[in-house]
Amino acid sequence: MLKNSAFDDIFVENLKLLGFDLDIQNESGIGSSDVGNISHIVPTIQPTIKIGPDTLVGHTSEFCDAAISKQGDEALILGAKAIALTGLSLLAYEDKLKIITDEFHRALAAE
């Protein structure tokens, strides 16, 4: 996956606008995702929002329970709002979109 820090930063800014204080950790997950393919065509982010304890593992019954919990519902709404505000930011501020696009082209050329 081609990372795009400028795009990630805008998403994080919007989470903060929504009152979510984010503790960013640069962790690398394992597994695969089709979004990696997409990230070579257009600038892409793949944000995640906590829906349960730090020990929660995807594709488990515990993850399923967390997804339908009150915390899971709140995370879904927060994430939807942050994504919507991120899209609005790109429409409203051409300079932000240019920074993201420039970073994308540099990362693509470095591949």
Side-chain angles (χ1 to χ4, degrees), residues 34-104:
D34 293 339
V35 76
N37 296 339
I38 300 300
S39 73
H40 287 78
I41 299 169
V42 296
T44 306
I45 59 172
Q46 187 176 20
T48 58
I49 294 180
K50 184 176 179 174
I51 64 169
D54 291 339
T55 56
L56 191 61
V57 176
H59 305 288
T60 63
S61 58
E62 294 82 12
F63 187 88
C64 182
D65 292 341
I68 61 172
S69 71
K70 182 176 186 215
Q71 186 177 358
D73 287 345
E74 290 170 352
L76 174 70
I77 292 167
L78 174 66
K81 287 178 180 179
I83 288 286
L85 285 173
T86 300
L88 180 61
S89 296
L90 299 182
L91 291 171
Y93 303 102
E94 289 181 26
D95 58 323
K96 289 184 179 190
L97 181 57
K98 181 169 179 6
I99 291 168
I100 289 169
T101 303
D102 289 348
E103 182 178 333
F104 168 73

